[in-house]
Amino acid sequence: MGISFGSDPVREAIAGLLARLDSGETVDARAESKLVDLKEEAGRRDRQGHVLPGTPKNEEAAAKLAREAACMANTPGGGALIVGVSDNGQLIGADLDAEWLRHRIYELTQRLLTVEVAEAIVQGIRLLVITSPTAVEPVRFNNKIFWRVDDRCVEVDAATWHAKRMQVLNYDWSNDTSTTPISEARPQALAVARDFLLASADTSSEDLAGSTDTQLLRRLNVVRDGLLTNAGVLAFIGRSAPCLDYIRRDYTGGDSTARVRRTGRSLLEELAEVFLTMDAHNKMRHLQADLVVRQVHDIPRLAAREAVVNGVAHREWGLPEPTLVEHIGHTLRVTSPGGFFGGVNESNIITHPSQSRNPALTQLLADLRVAEREGIGVDRMVREMLRLGYTPPAIREIDGPFVRTSLVGDVLDEPWIAWLEGIRPPHESSDVSSLLLLHHLLTEGWIDERRAVPLIQLPIEETRGAILKLARATIDGVQPLLTQVEGVPDGAPAAWRLSPQAMDALTAFDARSNHTRPLPTRTEIAQSYARSRGRISSTELGSLLGVSPTNVGSTLKSLAADGVLEPSRPTGLGRGLYYRWVAER
């Protein structure tokens, strides 16, 4: 079976130059082009020009290569550097550590550029090939933007770069036409695709599943002129290396009890096997609410699947590593090659418009009902985790770069689940912003719009609206869910806490389940409120705690004695007294 993705001019140019070098041909600066440049490691020559031994870590070389790699990335189509060849064609070799260099280039380009660094042995000499993908935003080096013009890098301004980018904005590697005919599609992959469609129980999906193989591929938009797109090759044939690596361990440091890492299979087949194995090791729990018994998994099934699909749909497919899925105890950790993309980062990932390196592949997975349509499933993961009383998913960019998603299904919070079911209107207990706000109110004791902005990742006006919407909700249609904190100075934003009635209802559910709930102490609430808002009064603290202001004076005085707060008057007495936050001055 001949698997072949669409032609890649950069890789073809690399292969051509390496073949010429390996044949003994002298390849010098005249062979450089817009796509490929020859480089030697900086600092490898003495004053007389003699070549010196290299080292695995060379900051001078890394800086110069980072500039050139950024230049290639800023050029439509990307480019590559062959390191270890002088301008006159001499094979000097490269001694830099490949992984160290890849990470240093990432750091030196403001964490915007993820390159591939591969070793190549030519005539017994080690070279490095640095391949830069096309940038989606300008990659600056020393606050300057460079791109390739013929065989050299020239500086351009941001406006020029963006204007050029607009001409190639619709480029999508996964939508490129490969050289692989549709006849190469694996029957097993086609069967899995139909299984995904039928499992959705959607009429249109059932109709699609009933198509012939050729019709199915065409209706999924992975065929062009009788050839599969790159997304089609990945999904229905696969690649030479595994797309996924699933590891199950019962506890941290334990031996693996299950492993899915297959070659010679399609992405869809790998996904199906990972889902099956993951489900088998995701313990089922029975949850009783009145006379109804529900089944829930340790890790919500929808959240787990979205995490895995997200790790393949939006990863950098130019890198050989598989998407790693570690299922350890009650934790699922998915690590995918490539950093955040298209302006998405940890602070906006819930609400940022969907961005993908691979729009055609992402759409294919959505059309097969494997992934959430038009999105990355992050809001679904957050919702499913919070509804069971778990902490929200942690989605972070780590060194490499990689994106790591962690879902921790620790102790199922049955009282919380029952309490959420009593909220009216019912949709508030499924709204992602409302769930994030309620989780914060319970664990921190209070909220205001400024603290809520980074939490629900919305602008201040929308955040204010989300809080007010939640404040109109009730417990069992009668009692208010939130109450406004009293004593807030005029002009300051309102602060909110869970109402006494809401807390009483949750406490009752806790008592029935013999559940001990950790709640913030008086001191912790007073400190977090004063730190965030700059001040606190006995009226505010009493309202936060649901007690009389006369019962909280000792807490405020104790914090003042510890130097955390200071009274607005030296005497610490009198009407209108409040305390200022001073701990970090």
Side-chain angles (χ1 to χ4, degrees):
M1 178 177 66
I3 302 173
S4 178
F5 291 109
S7 61
D8 184 332
V10 174
R11 294 188 186 279
E12 289 178 356
I14 294 169
L17 286 178
L18 291 177
R20 291 169 61 188
L21 286 166
D22 203 37
S23 70
E25 179 182 346
T26 298
V27 178
D28 56 23
R30 290 172 296 179
E32 294 176 343
S33 67
K34 185 177 181 179
L35 300 177
V36 183
D37 202 357
L38 304 176
K39 293 293 175 186
E40 59 180 85
E41 294 170 340
R44 289 282 306 274
R45 292 184 184 271
D46 61 19
R47 293 182 178 179
Q48 287 73 42
H50 301 133
V51 178
L52 302 173
T55 58
K57 298 180 181 180
N58 178 339
E59 289 292 343
E60 182 184 358
K64 291 186 179 297
L65 293 173
R67 178 188 181 278
E68 299 298 323
C71 172
M72 289 293 191
N74 288 329
T75 306
L81 308 172
I82 298 178
V83 184
V85 184
S86 70
D87 284 343
N88 63 9
Q90 180 185 1
L91 290 177
I92 295 172
D95 291 316
L96 287 168
D97 179 82
E99 282 303 311
W100 176 86
L101 179 60
R102 183 170 78 160
H103 184 62
R104 282 301 292 144
I105 290 175
Y106 177 61
E107 292 179 323
L108 290 166
T109 55
Q110 300 174 323
R111 306 175 75 87
L112 289 175
L113 178 58
T114 304
V115 297
E116 178 185 347
V117 183
E119 295 182 356
I121 305 301
V122 172
Q123 298 183 44
I125 298 174
R126 176 181 182 266
L127 306 179
L128 289 177
V129 180
I130 303 171
T131 307
S132 297
T134 304
V136 295
E137 54 185 304
V139 178
R140 289 176 169 82
F141 184 83
N142 286 342
N143 294 316
K144 296 180 179 179
I145 304 171
F146 297 90
W147 70 11
R148 197 86 168 157
V149 175
D150 296 327
D151 61 351
R152 58 195 177 90
C153 289
V154 298
E155 186 177 355
V156 295
D157 57 60
T160 302
W161 187 90
H162 281 287
K164 183 67 175 179
R165 178 175 178 265
M166 289 302 293
Q167 299 175 19
V168 294
L169 189 61
N170 294 325
Y171 175 74
D172 172 14
W173 171 85
S174 67
N175 196 42
D176 277 353
T177 305
S178 73
T179 59
T180 304
I182 60 175
S183 59
E184 297 283 3
R186 289 172 54 85
Q188 301 94 325
L190 291 161
V192 169
R194 290 188 169 94
D195 288 342
F196 280 132
L197 289 167
L198 293 173
S200 69
D202 176 80
T203 303
S204 61
S205 296
E206 292 177 3
D207 174 65
L208 183 58
S211 305
T212 66
D213 291 349
T214 300
Q215 288 173 336
L216 176 62
L217 294 171
R218 290 189 184 281
R219 291 175 66 181
L220 289 171
N221 296 313
V222 296
V223 178
R224 195 173 294 121
D225 298 325
L227 301 174
L228 290 170
T229 63
N230 287 339
V233 172
L234 269 178
F236 292 97
I237 300 177
R239 62 177 192 164
S240 57
C243 299
L244 285 158
D245 184 5
Y246 170 91
I247 305 170
R248 167 64 185 176
R249 292 187 173 90
D250 292 333
Y251 53 88
T252 302
D255 293 333
S256 63
T257 56
R259 184 82 179 264
V260 178
R261 181 187 173 99
R262 312 288 189 206
T263 56
R265 292 193 182 183
S266 66
L267 171 60
L268 291 180
E269 293 171 83
E270 291 188 57
L271 277 171
E273 186 175 3
V274 167
F275 287 167
L276 187 65
T277 309
M278 187 167 63
D279 285 348
H281 292 87
N282 193 5
K283 185 186 296 183
M284 186 82 73
R285 306 187 194 185
H286 294 85
L287 179 67
Q288 183 160 353
D290 296 326
L291 299 178
V292 179
V293 177
R294 288 172 41 195
Q295 291 182 329
V296 297
H297 289 86
D298 274 350
I299 302 169
R301 191 166 180 262
L302 282 176
R305 290 193 170 207
E306 286 292 344
V308 174
V309 173
N310 190 41
V312 297
H314 306 293
R315 58 160 287 171
E316 174 55 73
W317 283 104
L319 301 176
E321 297 94 336
T323 295
L324 178 63
V325 183
E326 299 170 282
H327 192 177
I328 304 172
H330 303 301
T331 297
L332 187 75
R333 188 164 59 228
V334 180
T335 307
S336 56
F340 284 127
F341 176 84
V344 174
N345 57 53
E346 185 179 342
S347 68
N348 66 13
I349 193 166
I350 297 175
T351 55
H352 195 283
S354 177
Q355 296 286 333
S356 176
R357 286 183 176 85
N358 316 292
L361 176 62
T362 301
Q363 187 60 47
L364 171 62
L365 295 172
D367 290 342
L368 289 170
R369 304 300 188 262
V370 182
E372 181 177 306
R373 184 182 298 275
E374 299 281 335
I376 54 176
V378 172
D379 54 349
R380 178 182 291 186
M381 285 189 276
V382 173
R383 183 187 68 229
E384 294 300 311
M385 294 296 286
L386 286 175
R387 287 174 68 177
L388 296 184
Y390 298 147
T391 55
I395 306 175
R396 298 187 174 90
E397 188 174 283
I398 62 173
D399 288 348
F402 300 89
V403 172
R404 173 169 290 169
T405 300
S406 298
L407 308 179
V408 180
D410 195 3
V411 179
L412 190 68
D413 194 339
E414 295 188 32
W416 164 267
I417 296 169
W419 182 75
L420 285 178
E421 290 178 352
I423 293 177
R424 298 292 180 271
H427 64 76
E428 287 296 343
S429 61
S430 297
D431 182 272
V432 172
S433 293
S434 295
L435 284 167
L436 286 165
L437 291 170
L438 288 170
H439 181 266
H440 183 92
L441 282 161
L442 189 60
T443 55
E444 299 295 326
W446 70 280
I447 194 80
D448 65 14
E449 59 192 40
R450 289 181 297 201
R451 280 170 72 87
V453 163
L455 178 68
I456 65 175
Q457 300 180 8
L458 290 172
I460 189 74
E461 297 81 6
E462 295 181 44
T463 299
R464 186 181 304 123
I467 295 174
L468 293 174
K469 179 170 70 74
L470 188 61
R472 291 192 292 270
T474 63
I475 293 290
D476 293 325
V478 179
Q479 303 294 346
L481 185 58
L482 305 187
T483 187
Q484 197 165 335
V485 175
E486 299 175 0
V488 173
D490 292 341
W496 301 83
R497 54 158 292 198
L498 289 172
S499 71
Q501 298 90 336
M503 287 301 300
D504 288 345
L506 181 57
T507 301
F509 284 121
D510 284 339
R512 290 178 207 169
S513 303
N514 295 317
H515 179 81
T516 302
R517 183 174 304 281
L519 295 172
T521 65
R522 287 188 173 196
T523 298
E524 288 170 342
I525 291 175
Q527 283 191 266
S528 70
Y529 187 91
R531 181 187 298 112
S532 178
R533 296 174 68 92
R535 52 150 284 161
I536 188 170
S537 66
S538 59
T539 303
E540 289 168 292
L541 183 55
S543 181
L544 284 165
L545 301 173
V547 301
S548 170
T550 59
N551 292 335
V552 299
S554 60
T555 300
L556 296 174
K557 289 177 181 178
S558 176
L559 289 171
D562 291 341
V564 174
L565 302 176
E566 67 176 10
S568 58
R569 297 193 187 94
T571 61
L573 300 171
R575 185 177 179 83
L577 176 72
Y578 63 90
Y579 289 80
R580 290 185 286 263
W581 174 256
V582 296
E584 296 176 350
R585 288 185 183 175

